[in-house]
Amino acid sequence: TLKHLIIAHNDILDSSILEDLKTGLSNSCLQELDLSNNSLGDLAPKYIGQALTGRCVLRKLNLTNTKLSYRGGHSIFLAM
């Protein structure tokens, strides 16, 4: 199963990509997720937050330089 995922320096704002990412993350036991250097906005964290709710413990989340808004951060926070 997927434990470490690095999606740094990508443009993941497209909703179809986000839906695929959400599905993939939901079916894994992710321990580390690196989303650094992506302009996440408000939509991406919603999908990511939904995917991170589950049975596994995410130990490391890198959101450096993501232009994450308060609303986006709140979505991820609620999921964790």
Side-chain angles (χ1 to χ4, degrees):
T1 124
L2 183 64
K3 292 186 179 187
H4 307 278
L5 181 61
I6 299 172
I7 310 176
H9 301 280
N10 286 286
D11 185 18
I12 57 170
L13 295 176
D14 184 82
S15 61
S16 63
I17 294 171
L18 291 170
E19 189 63 43
D20 290 343
L21 179 62
K22 181 178 105 174
T23 302
L25 291 177
S26 298
N27 296 323
S28 66
C29 194
L30 203 60
Q31 294 176 359
E32 294 184 21
L33 177 60
D34 183 350
L35 295 168
S36 62
N37 299 299
N38 285 292
S39 296
L40 296 180
D42 289 333
L43 185 60
K46 179 181 175 186
Y47 281 90
I48 294 163
Q50 291 171 353
L52 293 177
T53 58
R55 66 195 186 289
C56 297
V57 176
L58 186 67
R59 295 172 190 223
K60 183 177 179 183
L61 176 62
N62 187 351
L63 297 171
T64 304
N65 196 27
T66 56
K67 299 179 183 174
L68 191 63
S69 68
Y70 172 79
R71 179 178 291 165
H74 191 254
S75 294
I76 292 176
F77 173 76
L78 289 177
M80 300 178 94

